[in-house]
Amino acid sequence: VTQGPATYSVPSSWTNDQGGAWTDAVLGPVADSIVWSATDTTLASVDKAGDVSKLPLKKFGIEGLDYADLVSAIRRVDDNGAPHYEFDLALSPASCEREEQLIPGACLPTKVVLLSCVVSGGKLHTLRIDASPAEWRRNGGALRTVRSSFAVADKGGA
């Protein structure tokens, strides 16, 4: 899939509907959305933002994930040599019914978010994948592979 200077690969059996959801021809729903975005940045590289495991997502201008549980944070380098910061996040509601609690006071996640962030051409490019817990259980490995395929053609300035 190509969007502007960004590319990522999805399995050939996946299709995208008008609302942004992805479906596998055999397995059914795969992800609620896979979205690429780009915002201006003064960073020369994601590495200049700080340690991936301690980085507040607001530093990258990513809103709405302040209370997400950080499951994993890694640094990877793509085939073009560009460093990416990748995050696995679990979003849970602030409150829930007792039967929906993991432990007293802690709700089960209602959404899984995967992010890949890279700087290229003076912009911070982000690939965001949103999936329900059921989609994540069925397709987590494939969704991580999609995220890890994310790359941006260098337009200079990176």
Side-chain angles (χ1 to χ4, degrees), residues 58-154:
K58 274 191 172 181
K59 191 157 189 169
F60 281 159
I62 298 170
E63 300 294 332
L65 299 176
D66 300 339
Y67 299 104
D69 291 322
L70 179 63
V71 177
S72 173
I74 63 165
R75 179 186 183 274
R76 83 166 165 92
V77 177
D78 68 22
D79 293 341
N80 300 322
H84 290 244
Y85 281 2
E86 296 189 337
F87 305 92
D88 291 8
L89 306 162
L91 279 74
S92 300
S95 64
C96 58
E97 298 297 321
R98 185 178 178 142
E99 59 273 2
E100 297 171 341
Q101 293 182 5
L102 187 60
I103 57 172
C107 301
L108 289 169
T110 55
K111 184 185 290 189
V112 174
V113 177
L114 303 180
L115 299 172
S116 182
C117 304
V118 63
V119 172
S120 179
K123 297 205 177 280
L124 174 70
H125 300 266
T126 303
L127 184 71
R128 176 176 171 158
I129 302 172
D130 288 18
S132 70
E135 292 166 338
W136 175 250
R137 282 189 295 277
R138 279 192 314 271
N139 308 294
L143 293 172
R144 280 188 172 137
T145 299
V146 170
R147 178 190 54 198
S148 293
S149 72
F150 178 56
V152 175
D154 187 9

